[in-house]
Every structure is written in C-alpha cells, then in structure tokens.
Amino acid sequence: MADILRLANVTAGYGATVVVEDVSFSLSRGAALAVLGRNGVGKTTLMRTIAGHADRHDGRILLDETPVSTVPAWRRARLGLGYVPQERDIFPSLTVLENLTVGARAGGWTLEKIFELFPSLARRRSNFGNQLSGGEQQMLSIARALALQPTILLLDEPFEGLAPNLVEMLSVVFAELRRAGLSMVMVEQHARLALGMADEAIVLARGRIVLQRTSGALLEQPAVLEEALTVQQTQARTRDQ
C-alpha cells in the first residue's frame, strides 16, 4: 500500500536550535503510528514540523507522494493534513458552529456527520468556545480538523488532562475514524493506550528515533519499550550531573 506520509532524514527546530534530528519513517494509507517518549524529547516539535509550524533544517517530507518540505502550513492542510495541537487552539470568542464553519471545506465530513460523531457539540453548537469544558474543547479541536476534510490526522496528546470516561469516548471516536479510512500519527504519554490504537510506534530520545517496532511487538515485549524510555532518563541524568 502506498505511503500517505514519509519523512526522510528530517532535522528541524526553531530558528538555529535543532530539536529533532535525522528522523525517518513512513506511514501507509489507513495506518496509525504512535510517537512515544518522555517529556521534552521533541515529540511536539516533530508534529509541528510535519504540519509546517516549525523550521525544517534538512530532509524531506512527502504527503501522499507530494513533496511538502517547503510548503506553508495552510497549503499542507489543503493537501489533506489535519492537525490537532496539544493546545487545542480553538477560537474562544466564536461559537461551536462558527468554529466548525470557519475555513471548512466541502467533503465527506459534513456538519451533520461531525455532530453525529460528537453529539455533545451538537447540543452546544451555539455556545462560545470559552464556555466549553476541557473535554468539549478537545472534541471541537478534532472536529475542526475533520471539517477541513483530511486524509491524515496529527494528534498531539489528545487525551491530556481528560477524565477516564472522555478518554474512552475519544478512543471509540478514533477507532471509528480509522474505519472511515483516516491515517493517524498520535503523540501520547500513556504508551499502552497509544499502542492499542496504532499499528506501529516510534520512540524518540533527544530528538532522534531510538526504537521503531510494530505495536503488537511492543505490547508483547513491554521490557523493550521500557528499556528505550529508561535510556532517555539515564541520558538526562548524565547531562545534569
């Protein structure tokens, strides 16, 4: 199956500062990838680099075989890249409905279909963004990305700060999105949760990929994952000494 996303030797960061270095991976159409690692290892920067919000220093990024390394973020979105940032970035002074219709594109993810996926947003369509709970704001951030008709979703810590019932609800939503054919790249602190929703996983340490395996293999051999994460902690302690 053709790759919907491919990174080749990507180095990126902010200004002259390098945060991720020599990162390479590919994602097949309809597949899901988990990006794992301790805090501060470059996971969010990697997502921002793919989305076009960080400074790429070297390497290539291809979206559905189209080179997008120098393409601005808005055009990557038009090419099918949906981005749900860790900060959610909804419009607090707009209603739910206005958040969903600003910049929306025609396609399979209609308002009706989105509201079926998130019935609580349908009930609160006239509420402003700053009147929503944290869980509802996360739903709205995902819904906004869907309104742009993506073929791939970048999800940066989608479960952060959410109650267990909301984590379970969003897990069901992501499973439904995958059945609809969406590809996903997900950053998540809770490795087992992420591995349960992904086909493959990469582990970052100091901005580099130190482990790449199928999710099934890591679930069957958790010590392998723990070793990769422990190496990161050991390196961090060594630098601090």
Side-chain angles (χ1 to χ4, degrees):
M1 189 175 294
D3 293 334
I4 194 167
L5 177 67
R6 181 153 53 94
L7 274 67
N9 308 110
V10 170
T11 295
Y14 306 100
T17 302
V18 171
V19 181
V20 294
E21 189 171 5
D22 199 28
V23 170
S24 298
F25 68 82
S26 60
L27 183 69
S28 299
R29 187 177 302 279
L33 175 75
V35 180
L36 308 175
R38 305 291 187 189
N39 288 330
V41 299
K43 302 187 301 297
T44 290
T45 299
L46 175 60
M47 300 290 267
R48 289 176 58 82
T49 300
I50 298 170
H53 297 292
D55 298 319
R56 182 192 60 86
H57 296 173
D58 199 6
R60 302 181 69 211
I61 304 172
L62 290 92
L63 181 62
D64 205 9
E65 300 303 322
T66 299
V68 296
S69 302
T70 59
V71 171
W74 67 267
R75 181 140 182 84
R76 298 186 199 196
R78 288 292 181 92
L79 291 171
L81 188 64
Y83 179 41
V84 181
Q86 188 175 11
E87 301 82 8
R88 296 166 185 162
D89 284 352
I90 64 167
F91 295 112
S93 61
L94 298 184
T95 66
V96 167
L97 186 59
E98 289 168 340
N99 265 278
L100 292 176
T101 53
V102 170
R105 303 177 64 202
W109 290 105
T110 62
L111 274 176
E112 181 181 10
K113 192 170 180 180
I114 289 172
F115 282 144
E116 286 178 2
L117 198 63
F118 298 109
S120 64
L121 293 183
R123 292 190 295 269
R124 306 202 66 184
R125 68 180 70 195
S126 298
N127 288 83
F128 293 105
N130 58 12
Q131 295 175 322
L132 304 180
S133 68
E136 289 168 335
Q137 289 182 3
Q138 185 63 286
M139 294 178 211
L140 182 55
S141 185
I142 296 166
R144 282 186 60 212
L146 292 176
L148 295 175
Q149 313 302 326
T151 54
I152 178 171
L153 270 182
L154 306 180
L155 299 160
D156 193 357
E157 300 273 11
F159 303 119
E160 184 179 33
L162 300 185
N165 64 314
L166 290 175
V167 171
E168 183 177 355
M169 184 275 287
L170 285 181
S171 297
V172 172
V173 166
F174 295 148
E176 188 167 339
L177 295 180
R178 289 205 60 192
R179 285 193 293 272
L182 275 179
S183 307
M184 293 184 187
V185 180
M186 177 186 293
V187 168
E188 179 51 47
Q189 285 291 328
H190 302 288
R192 182 166 289 275
L193 178 62
L195 292 173
M197 291 184 286
D199 301 293
E200 294 190 7
I202 59 174
V203 179
L204 292 184
R206 301 179 68 182
R208 288 178 172 267
I209 295 177
V210 295
L211 182 67
Q212 186 166 5
R213 296 281 192 280
T214 65
S215 294
L218 291 178
L219 286 170
E220 291 175 0
Q221 298 178 304
V224 174
L225 174 60
E226 186 58 34
E227 182 180 358
L229 297 175
T230 301
V231 167
Q232 295 178 214
Q233 288 186 314
T234 302
Q235 290 173 335
R237 285 196 297 269
T238 301
R239 292 196 307 273
D240 292 339
Q241 290 174 351

